Amino acid sequence: MTASPLLQVQGLQVAYGPTPIVHGVSFTLGREKLAVVGESGSGKTTVGRALLKLLPRQARIGAERLQFDGMDLLQAGERDMAALRGRRLSMIMQDPKYSLNPVMSIGRQIAEAVQRAAKLSHAECNERVETLLARVHIRDPKRVAAQYPHEVSGGMGQRVMIAMMLAQRPQLLIADEPTSALDVSVRQEVLHLLDELVAEQGLALLFISHDLNLVRHFCDRVLVMYAGRVVETLAAADLPRAEHPYTRGLMAALPSLRQRRAVLPVLQRDAAWSAA
């Protein structure tokens, strides 16, 4: 018997006043790596934040169904969401410089997440912090735990964010452009770490990105968003054979080392895509 999806989203709408930002987004997510791709402003991050109810107060969220592991997220109050965030639903933000507290040491910030998961003594908590930092392939956990966010590189900061997430062993992780600020070698290390977590912990991963080449090789499925709508859903390996003209346009605009072109094609948009 096929297991039910961990997350079910049907007809998700997000609006600010009379202005709709996300229109009728629908998808399911199981124990897999699902990418959400599209240009800046397409609504990718808004969808991720809506799932955790982390949008500004003036945002109105509606859906036919918004269910996580049998729980109705639409009906969940702030106390219910606070119990879910971190423990069962986590999000890695795009840039650790803006997500980590600049006046707290890295160890103290991870310790807060550790203490939310279990009440430990000071010594036990410190040991757990160092174990988590080692788990994300940080070589000198004790030294890094004593440092402040501005003292570590972007790749190290991203691993710290993952360590904080690991402290509470969530079932679903939303990763918002987690590799966009990293160089190629560090990016591969972070992707390998996320891949390990999905395989070892049965984690469901919602991977928000604008990098189609990356998600083609890293993810299982892809949602393609345009102007707040999902215009196409397909297997990641099938991106080169996409059917929607928007997806094909995005793929055609990618530079290639194998096929040199003097000028990359400009994506031609159709007003009908916004009304579909």
Side-chain angles (χ1 to χ4, degrees):
M1 186 174 70
T2 304
S4 299
L6 184 65
L7 178 70
Q8 298 180 62
V9 179
Q10 187 173 349
L12 176 64
Q13 308 272 351
V14 179
Y16 290 90
T19 307
I21 304 299
V22 169
H23 315 257
V25 168
S26 299
F27 64 93
T28 60
L29 178 60
R31 309 290 182 174
E32 59 182 324
K33 294 173 288 186
L34 174 64
V36 183
V37 302
E39 298 169 286
S40 296
S42 61
K44 307 184 300 296
T45 297
T46 299
V47 168
R49 288 178 175 269
L51 298 177
L52 290 171
K53 291 190 173 179
L54 288 176
L55 294 172
R57 290 185 178 180
Q58 61 268 35
R60 290 185 292 107
I61 303 172
E64 297 169 37
R65 173 178 289 185
L66 191 59
Q67 196 169 59
F68 170 72
D69 197 22
M71 179 179 181
D72 187 347
L73 297 180
L74 279 179
Q75 299 302 319
E78 181 53 34
R79 180 176 293 182
D80 298 320
M81 292 305 301
L84 280 178
R85 294 186 196 113
R87 290 183 174 92
R88 301 182 67 193
L89 292 169
S90 276
M91 187 169 190
I92 299 176
M93 302 301 183
Q94 182 170 353
D95 194 332
K97 291 198 300 289
Y98 303 110
S99 303
L100 294 171
N101 190 328
V103 298
M104 286 178 64
S105 70
I106 285 168
R108 278 188 61 197
Q109 294 185 62
I110 299 175
E112 285 188 349
V114 169
Q115 293 289 16
R116 285 193 68 193
K119 297 301 179 185
L120 303 175
S121 68
H122 182 70
E124 289 172 329
C125 186
N126 286 342
E127 182 179 352
R128 176 66 175 150
V129 167
E130 291 176 21
T131 298
L132 287 168
L133 288 172
R135 177 69 183 83
V136 296
H137 308 303
I138 289 177
R139 294 178 184 172
D140 191 348
K142 191 168 187 176
R143 176 181 62 82
V144 172
Q147 291 182 315
Y148 288 81
H150 71 275
E151 298 180 287
V152 300
S153 66
M156 190 84 75
Q158 205 63 274
R159 292 187 214 185
V160 168
M161 296 289 291
I162 296 172
M164 292 175 69
M165 176 274 298
L166 281 175
Q168 300 183 70
R169 297 183 64 86
Q171 296 167 274
L172 189 154
L173 173 63
I174 302 167
D176 187 3
E177 301 274 13
T179 61
S180 62
L182 308 179
D183 63 44
V184 174
S185 60
V186 176
R187 181 180 72 175
Q188 290 304 316
E189 291 177 4
V190 171
L191 290 174
H192 179 67
L193 176 57
L194 291 173
D195 212 18
E196 283 182 357
L197 297 176
V198 172
E200 294 173 10
Q201 296 185 192
L203 190 71
L205 177 65
L206 188 67
F207 191 86
I208 298 170
S209 180
H210 64 275
D211 190 333
L212 275 73
N213 273 332
L214 186 157
V215 303
R216 175 187 168 192
H217 295 98
F218 178 67
C219 293
D220 302 308
R221 292 190 297 128
V222 180
L223 301 180
V224 184
M225 289 192 67
Y226 175 76
R229 290 178 168 82
V230 173
V231 296
E232 188 167 20
T233 304
L234 69 166
D238 290 338
L239 272 171
R241 297 176 291 280
E243 297 181 359
H244 196 280
Y246 177 67
T247 313
R248 292 203 303 267
L250 291 176
M251 293 297 294
L254 292 174
S256 172
L257 294 176
R258 296 179 181 177
Q259 182 182 359
R260 296 187 65 180
R261 291 175 288 181
V263 179
L264 291 175
V266 176
L267 180 62
Q268 301 299 313
R269 293 168 176 78
D270 189 330
W273 301 347
S274 301

